[in-house]
Amino acid sequence: METAKKRMLTGNKAMAEAISQEMERDSNVFVLGEDIGKYGGIFGSTQGLIEKFGPERVLDTPISETAFIGAAIGAAAEGMRPIAELMFVDFFGVCMDQIYNHMAKIPYMSGGNVKLPMVLMTAVGGGYRDAGQHSQTLYAAFAHMPGMKVVAPSNPYDLKGMMVSAIRDDNPVVFMFHKSLQGLGWMEQLDVAVDNVPEESYTVPLNKAKVVREGKDVTIVGIQMMTHYAVEAAERLAKDGIEAEVIDLRSLAPIDKGTIIESVKKTHRLLVVDEDYLSYGMTAEVSAIVAEEAFFEMEAPISRLAIPDVPIPYSGVLEDFVIPGPNKIYEQVKKMMDEA
Amino acid sequence: MTMFEEKQPAVSMEKMEWMYEQMVKIRYYEDQMAEAYMEGKTPVFNIGAGTVPGEMHLATGQEPAAVGICVHLTKDDTVTAPHRPHHHAIAKGVDLKKMTAEIFGKETGLGKGKGGHMHLFDPEVKFSCGGIVGAGIPHAVGAAMTSKMKGKDWVAVAFIGEGAANAGAFHESLNLAAVWNLPLIVVVEDNSYGISVAKKASTSVESNDLRASAYGIAGAYVKDNDPIAMYKAAEEAVARARNGQGPTIIEIETYRYLGHFQGDPELYRDQTEVPGLRQLDPLNKLRKMLAESENISEADLETMEKRAKQEVDEAYQFARDSSYPDPESALKDVFHP
Ligand SMILES: Cc1ncc(C[n+]2csc(CCOP(=O)(O)OP(=O)(O)O)c2C)c(N)n1
Ligand SMILES: [Mg+2]
């Protein structure tokens, strides 16, 4: 039996390690964004980089998102491999033109003749009372628009492996990391934000969902925090004799239809859980995929849980009411099973 | 009755007192907030826990910018503020009880608990703020436009940090306000940092009033965090705006005594910096100046201080006594009925 001690890293350190190793491997890789130098990124994803690589490759920018994200596009077109950090995804409003009209479309409109090998990394998620302009995930807003790979890893192992893949990918990748899963000392301490992360470099594909808990009675599809909440709910459901299969979507675009379809063919029931707005969102996309490709496999109507089409409110009682959690998932599955 | 050197024109005693009392109120309000913020966050700090959760950006040390201009404003003038808004809100006369209740997430708050500290809206005194850097500037342009369209002498003031002067919204808004000759004043509070990034690492000019020439408008610079100098620069800018002579940028050198937000480890600045700044405290300076005047006694000052603090205490008590909103009310107010 191998008893070697596991190497445990928080989400933010796993990300920083991926970036650091890629910067060592490829001199074209550099990072730019607000407070990513001495501060190490507000959510710690660039910790230690400036000390190692200096301010020439780790650039603190002014509060000028259009300029520095646009500059990342321009540099990528010249063969560099920039990683730009948009501090909170909510700030996309001031720079979305660069992102969706340029980063996402130039490769296509050039007939494939221009490559933009860049990563736009950004913090997502709520639950810590930061209100409507700092708590969104906006998964679907990005995944809706063609031309960007959009990923949202949910644990340190995947954060590292998917960051390495994102940097090496020749396409623009929007890399969403969840604030609560960074393992930061000043946020709620979650066990799932610390994980075994090997030191040597490795990759995790950008187009594969993962079954994180096997079950035969119902499939729950989640992403980032919702995956963890689904696992929590599944443990409780198991005590009631219900075995839920939980899928961590990991990648929003492209979306891994195969893993979802295979699972519902086994369980015949589906609940999709999202920390984004309900309408026109990921829950609708997954439901539509199943309705199109496995309709006759289903034994109960598909069910969805997401933010009920309101901005994220500040007050704790309100925020907890709108963001799905383990209880709501548990109750929803119970209801689905009772109805069947 | 002037207490200043000959070269400085007089500021009326009444206005000086108003500014002092507001500064006391702001300072005390922020001190109380710093304490309330830590309730429920020890021994383990968790940003999402406690009486007042979420991000908290306090303005301790930055009082002169707010009082020096708001002393010239009325209820009809508009103020937009950024993510660090308490000093502006207090100086503009925002309902202190409802504001505090909002920050405590209570149903009696300005936004019924939906907005929180960065998102305070008090239409009664035409005050608003927001969490997206630079976003309040165009809103002030819109208020200034409205004033002009309605033939009023209302002015609009946008407060921002020096970091926001590098956002596109700043440049677009000032050009627009200049082209349309609007009664807009942008007050840039230079506290040396945008979070951890020093001004000189982010800004191509020494001070942002220099940028006024790029838009063909007036610019003024206030140094040393001086409320009296701010008063004077603002007096000119407000008169200019009210007289239809267009926008002004005022930059004031100010001091951020605390972290960017509460809990900021502040590893990016020298530990001696803040104690040094505190030596130059504008509140102490103004108090000393007032105490030296013949027209005001120590007892008068104490009465003002007591009154200011009592108002703050009552606001906090109101917030604590109020109820949390009904969870289902989260679904309301997306649209007007
Ligand atoms: C568009 C946008 N970009 C980035 C941020 C994150 N952010 C919040 S405050 C801040 C620094 C602001 O600096 P400054 O304007 O100088 O104001 P101060 O905090 O010093 O009062 C930053 C970068 C944001 N809220 N909005
Ligand atoms: Mg600043």
Side-chain angles (χ1 to χ4, degrees):
Chain A
M1 278 292 264
E2 182 64 64
T3 54
K5 247 210 199 131
K6 284 187 172 174
R7 184 171 176 270
M8 302 300 278
L9 285 191
T10 55
N12 79 304
K13 293 213 167 100
M15 270 178 85
E17 185 166 274
I19 297 170
S20 176
Q21 289 175 349
E22 288 306 294
M23 286 179 80
E24 272 166 11
R25 183 176 169 269
D26 181 349
S27 63
N28 286 324
V29 178
F30 69 99
V31 197
L32 74 174
E34 291 155 17
D35 304 281
I36 63 151
K38 262 188 214 163
Y39 203 104
I42 295 299
F43 300 101
S45 45
T46 57
Q47 225 175 57
L49 296 181
I50 195 162
E51 289 80 3
K52 213 161 172 183
F53 300 101
E56 294 78 24
R57 292 178 72 196
V58 182
L59 297 101
D60 267 332
T61 64
I63 308 172
S64 311
E65 288 86 358
T66 289
F68 77 76
I69 292 171
I73 295 169
E78 301 280 333
M80 300 296 279
R81 289 187 172 266
I83 303 168
E85 178 168 278
L86 177 63
M87 190 187 291
F88 288 69
V89 76
D90 312 68
F91 307 160
F92 82 126
V94 299
C95 52
M96 196 59 176
D97 178 62
Q98 290 299 330
I99 297 169
Y100 91 105
N101 259 329
H102 304 278
M103 186 181 86
K105 292 176 186 163
I106 287 173
Y108 181 79
M109 294 194 296
S110 67
N113 286 315
V114 178
K115 271 202 306 202
L116 295 179
M118 62 181 285
V119 179
L120 178 66
M121 63 175 178
T122 187
V124 306
Y128 64 104
R129 323 311 182 206
D130 222 4
Q133 298 172 342
H134 289 76
S135 301
Q136 303 166 97
T137 64
L138 299 176
Y139 296 133
F142 286 82
H144 180 64
M145 289 181 266
M148 302 177 265
K149 296 188 176 179
V150 183
V151 300
S154 65
N155 58 65
Y157 183 88
D158 285 351
L159 279 164
K160 177 168 174 182
M162 291 173 83
M163 178 53 87
V164 171
S165 298
I167 297 169
R168 293 185 191 171
D169 201 292
D170 278 343
N171 297 286
V173 177
V174 177
F175 190 98
M176 296 177 155
F177 57 94
H178 199 288
K179 294 161 219 169
S180 300
L181 296 172
Q182 292 290 87
L184 301 166
W186 48 274
M187 296 193 94
E188 191 181 351
Q189 302 298 304
L190 304 177
D191 291 344
V192 291
V194 188
D195 192 5
N196 174 221
V197 177
E199 184 162 9
E200 64 277 13
S201 187
Y202 60 91
T203 59
V204 171
L206 301 179
N207 61 353
K208 280 270 169 288
K210 188 178 176 192
V211 176
V212 292
R213 186 189 192 281
E214 287 192 23
K216 59 176 180 27
D217 298 324
V218 55
T219 298
I220 310 175
V221 176
I223 196 162
Q224 292 192 322
M225 281 310 289
M226 297 303 121
T227 303
H228 297 299
Y229 290 157
V231 170
E232 238 181 283
E235 300 303 329
R236 261 180 77 191
L237 289 162
K239 289 183 191 137
D240 300 345
I242 299 165
E243 289 302 334
E245 177 143 304
V246 179
I247 294 176
D248 179 6
L249 201 54
R250 296 203 289 197
S251 170
L252 289 143
I255 191 165
D256 178 7
K257 296 182 182 184
T259 300
I260 300 167
I261 298 297
E262 202 182 311
S263 176
V264 296
K265 280 188 173 162
K266 180 169 77 174
T267 63
H268 311 290
R269 284 187 183 81
L270 173 67
L271 169 65
V272 196
V273 195
D274 194 6
E275 193 189 333
D276 194 2
Y277 307 119
L278 178 69
S279 297
Y280 305 94
M282 180 273 270
T283 58
E285 187 60 33
V286 172
S287 303
I289 288 167
V290 170
E292 282 173 346
E293 301 193 11
F295 186 74
F296 295 108
E297 297 286 340
M298 304 310 286
E299 279 173 16
I302 296 167
S303 189
R304 307 191 276 157
L305 278 177
I307 293 164
D309 296 333
V310 301
I312 314 283
Y314 162 67
S315 190
V317 287
L318 304 179
E319 190 181 28
D320 290 344
F321 183 79
V322 303
I323 300 183
N327 281 344
K328 272 197 193 152
I329 298 171
Y330 170 85
E331 278 158 23
Q332 193 73 11
V333 171
K334 289 286 275 186
K335 218 158 67 186
M336 288 169 73
M337 302 308 291
D338 288 350
E339 276 167 10
Chain B
M1 49 137 212
T2 167
M3 69 191 58
F4 302 108
E5 329 263 345
E6 286 297 290
K7 52 186 181 309
Q8 290 182 304
V11 176
S12 83
M13 202 58 186
E14 198 191 332
K15 299 250 158 111
M16 294 267 290
E17 286 178 14
W18 185 88
M19 287 200 291
Y20 178 68
E21 189 166 331
Q22 296 302 309
M23 283 174 68
V24 170
K25 200 191 292 179
I26 293 165
R27 179 67 59 90
Y28 185 66
Y29 189 88
E30 298 294 65
D31 287 348
Q32 297 303 105
M33 191 57 78
E35 269 183 39
Y37 187 71
M38 287 311 292
E39 287 174 20
K41 290 193 185 68
T42 53
V44 184
F45 185 92
N46 167 8
I47 187 173
T51 307
V52 181
E55 281 179 70
M56 180 54 65
H57 313 83
L58 299 178
T60 318
Q62 299 190 193
E63 302 87 357
V67 302
I69 189 157
C70 288
V71 65
H72 303 290
L73 304 182
T74 75
K75 240 178 84 165
D76 292 327
D77 300 314
T78 295
V79 163
T80 70
H83 56 286
R84 192 183 307 287
H86 301 168
H87 53 324
H88 312 119
I90 292 171
K92 186 62 175 61
V94 167
D95 187 311
L96 209 56
K97 287 184 173 158
K98 290 186 187 169
M99 165 174 153
T100 313
E102 183 60 29
I103 298 169
F104 277 60
K106 299 297 180 74
E107 67 176 353
T108 53
L110 288 168
K112 303 173 199 157
K114 294 191 165 88
H117 128 93
M118 280 190 278
H119 319 96
L120 304 166
F121 300 88
D122 191 352
E124 292 289 312
V125 295
K126 298 206 206 170
F127 177 87
S128 64
C129 63
I132 304 297
V133 166
I137 315 169
H139 305 162
V141 171
M145 252 175 86
T146 305
S147 169
K148 193 168 174 180
M149 290 168 109
K150 289 190 180 287
K152 304 287 188 187
D153 69 348
W154 304 337
V155 305
V157 178
F159 287 98
I160 59 169
E162 90 297 335
N166 301 314
F170 175 86
H171 301 279
E172 294 184 22
S173 299
L174 279 161
N175 181 63
L176 189 60
V179 168
W180 290 345
N181 194 40
L182 298 178
L184 173 77
I185 302 164
V186 174
V187 176
V188 184
E189 285 170 66
D190 174 17
N191 61 8
S192 304
Y193 298 94
I195 311 186
S196 69
V197 180
K199 183 192 194 182
K200 58 178 181 313
S202 68
T203 311
S204 63
V205 286
E206 190 77 25
S207 63
N208 285 292
D209 58 301
L210 299 176
R211 287 175 161 167
S213 67
Y215 314 110
I217 63 173
Y221 183 71
V222 175
K223 60 181 176 52
D224 299 332
N225 207 17
D226 179 351
I228 309 294
M230 182 66 199
Y231 176 101
K232 287 173 192 156
E235 185 174 41
E236 275 181 32
V238 170
R240 188 176 296 123
R242 292 211 201 282
N243 295 332
Q245 292 165 299
T248 306
I249 302 173
I250 303 175
E251 174 151 305
I252 173 169
E253 178 191 16
T254 191
Y255 313 141
R256 198 190 81 198
Y257 290 162
L258 305 175
H260 170 72
F261 36 42
Q262 295 306 93
D264 177 357
E266 293 186 78
L267 300 176
Y268 49 85
R269 66 169 161 180
D270 196 288
Q271 298 221 332
T272 60
E273 187 177 308
V274 173
L277 294 175
R278 284 199 187 258
Q279 294 291 312
L280 309 170
D281 190 46
L283 192 56
N284 290 343
K285 279 195 199 163
L286 189 58
R287 190 184 203 284
K288 199 156 162 261
M289 193 183 274
L290 287 170
E292 281 165 8
S293 118
E294 296 158 11
N295 305 315
I296 187 161
S297 68
E298 181 63 25
D300 292 337
L301 285 169
E302 281 168 15
T303 306
M304 287 162 61
E305 287 157 0
K306 215 176 129 196
R307 191 166 54 209
K309 290 179 181 177
Q310 190 179 335
E311 195 188 331
V312 171
D313 287 336
E314 283 168 12
Y316 277 86
Q317 199 55 50
F318 175 80
R320 288 180 190 280
D321 291 345
S322 296
S323 305
Y324 286 106
D326 169 19
E328 295 212 14
S329 69
L331 304 178
K332 291 188 195 148
D333 298 319
V334 180
F335 295 107
H336 275 286

